Amino acid sequence: VEAKTKNEILGGLWGVVTEQRPEWFVEPLWAVMEDKLKSLRDLGIGGLKTALGAKAVPRAAELLGAKRADVRIAAADLLRELGDASAQASLRAALDAESSDKVRGALQTALEACGAAPVAAAEPQESSLDELKAMFEKQAKKLKLPKGDWLDLAALPPLPTSSGAPLSELGLTFLIAKQAKHKTIEPTLDVVPLLAHFDRAATTDFALALFEQWLASPQVAADRWVLVLVGALADKRGISVLKAPIQSWADNSRHKLAEWAAQAIALIPGDEALTILDGLANRYRRKFKNIGRACREALETAAADRGVSLDDLADLIVPDFGFDAGRQRTFSWDGGELIAVMGPDFKLSWINP
């Protein structure tokens, strides 16, 4: 039998096993977790989750120390699927010892699924710029920019740090290379200490220029790291930039890009970003529901971070459109001024001082 046909037969057999009687095949399923075929490892994850549930945590934690990186990733994925808080200690220990970026990404995702604070909300580790520079140099040989000829670092504005000096080319390579390997829309653990040395007001120009380069590219899914960096580096100017293409992506069946852009908006601090997300959640609650769902989930996370309900958050982020507590807004121009007053019926009256 040809290898491809054999693998299809194996996949079909294990598919039946994991759907019908996984509890009869627990030990073989653990063996499948170490198979060279990812498709079989994924079936093993599903079968063990169904058959054992949280009882699989200790043995899965042992596999985090396997020699092969793909087995360590499978173990992390199983713990992610289980989502049991008892796995946090093992995952953190594995993360501290792990050198592979792919495995680190799987471990980080599993940690969050098990209830650990997401990276964006976690306290950044305190590292000086000199310490970070030493880390860049130590990892220089391993750093590789993502594939594609659209990225032109030389054409981007400088990325200022808190010291006033721009981040070096090696530092930029570290920032992009590390984030590009992370698949979820949040800063990866490796770049969080570096982000602590940026001021959004100063780094927005870099973020927006990077986004323009990416917009001119084929906008492949693997380059979604750009959206994360815009969300992590831009001030409120990044909100409109991220929002602008969402409708076009939705209309052209590029729904994942639209979802990721909405999640990136949630990375920008302040009520304005949440107000935009609330509007998008309402706009896409019937058509393109997956986009609306992504916005709603981002709002739920923001509400949980503030310790309020989603309804309370909605009240807090109602836009005021520039009106003060007395329901007035002043419009001024050279040689004139008008005051708009909003009445109890929400109609406007205009006053010329």
Side-chain angles (χ1 to χ4, degrees):
V1 179
E2 293 183 2
K4 182 178 179 181
T5 304
K6 180 181 178 180
N7 292 338
E8 289 175 350
I9 294 171
L10 283 172
L13 289 172
W14 277 114
V16 172
V17 165
T18 55
E19 287 180 7
Q20 301 297 325
R21 291 288 186 271
E23 64 276 10
W24 292 0
F25 298 90
V26 169
E27 284 305 316
L29 284 169
W30 282 114
V32 166
M33 287 283 289
E34 300 186 52
D35 197 275
K36 292 183 178 181
L37 286 177
K38 183 180 184 302
S39 56
L40 292 188
R41 294 197 301 272
D42 289 344
L43 286 170
I45 290 169
L48 290 169
K49 177 184 178 182
T50 302
L52 297 178
K55 293 180 180 179
V57 169
R59 192 159 173 181
E62 291 178 8
L63 284 179
L64 293 174
K67 290 184 178 180
R68 283 172 34 210
D70 54 3
V71 178
R72 299 198 299 275
I73 290 174
D77 289 346
L78 173 55
L79 292 172
R80 180 200 67 209
E81 289 296 313
L82 295 173
D84 193 279
S86 66
Q88 287 188 27
S90 298
L91 287 165
R92 290 187 189 280
L95 189 60
D96 290 340
E98 185 58 60
S99 59
S100 165
D101 287 333
K102 287 185 177 180
V103 181
R104 286 177 64 83
L107 291 167
Q108 180 181 320
T109 303
L111 259 174
E112 293 170 13
C114 292
V119 173
E123 287 293 328
Q125 298 177 6
E126 292 186 5
S127 299
S128 69
L129 285 171
D130 288 339
E131 289 173 332
L132 292 172
K133 182 179 178 181
M135 182 172 61
F136 303 156
E137 293 172 349
K138 184 178 180 181
Q139 299 189 29
K141 293 182 179 180
K142 297 181 180 180
L143 299 175
K144 293 183 180 179
L145 290 172
K147 295 179 181 179
D149 56 5
W150 63 268
L151 180 62
D152 185 358
L153 293 183
L156 294 171
L159 184 57
T161 64
S162 55
S163 70
L167 189 66
S168 66
E169 183 176 348
L170 180 57
L172 279 176
T173 301
F174 175 89
L175 174 67
I176 293 172
K178 292 294 185 179
Q179 189 60 53
K181 290 186 176 294
H182 193 58
K183 304 305 180 186
T184 55
I185 307 301
E186 62 195 354
T188 182
L189 281 170
D190 293 305
V191 307
V192 170
L194 180 57
L195 294 177
H197 293 280
F198 294 136
D199 178 358
R200 287 177 182 267
T203 58
T204 298
D205 288 344
F206 173 90
L208 300 189
L210 176 65
F211 188 70
E212 286 299 318
Q213 283 192 7
W214 179 70
L215 278 181
S217 78
Q219 301 169 17
V220 298
D223 290 333
R224 56 187 176 274
W225 57 268
V226 174
L227 300 171
V228 180
L229 290 186
V230 174
L233 296 173
D235 58 19
K236 64 181 182 180
R237 288 173 286 170
I239 299 172
S240 57
V241 168
L242 289 167
K243 177 188 174 186
I246 287 180
Q247 185 62 54
S248 174
W249 285 331
D251 291 337
N252 289 282
S253 299
R254 306 203 71 182
H255 297 172
K256 292 303 294 184
L257 288 180
E259 291 179 45
W260 293 331
Q263 292 169 345
I265 290 173
L267 298 177
I268 299 175
D271 289 348
E272 188 172 339
L274 299 179
T275 299
I276 294 298
L277 283 174
D278 188 50
L280 291 172
N282 288 323
R283 178 186 300 178
Y284 298 115
R285 66 182 182 275
R286 290 190 178 89
K287 189 176 183 181
F288 308 129
K289 292 181 180 179
N290 54 326
I291 302 173
R293 189 180 307 114
C295 296
R296 183 67 59 185
E297 289 173 355
L299 287 169
E300 289 172 350
T301 299
D305 290 342
R306 295 192 183 196
V308 299
S309 69
L310 193 57
D311 287 339
D312 288 338
L313 180 70
D315 289 339
L316 292 172
I317 62 175
V318 171
D320 58 23
F321 299 104
F323 284 82
D324 60 24
R327 300 197 299 271
Q328 296 187 12
R329 178 178 174 182
T330 300
F331 295 85
S332 301
W333 61 93
D334 289 341
E337 181 179 271
L338 283 175
I339 298 176
V341 181
M342 184 183 296
D345 56 359
F346 296 102
K347 292 183 179 180
L348 298 181
S349 300
W350 295 91
I351 299 172
N352 185 334

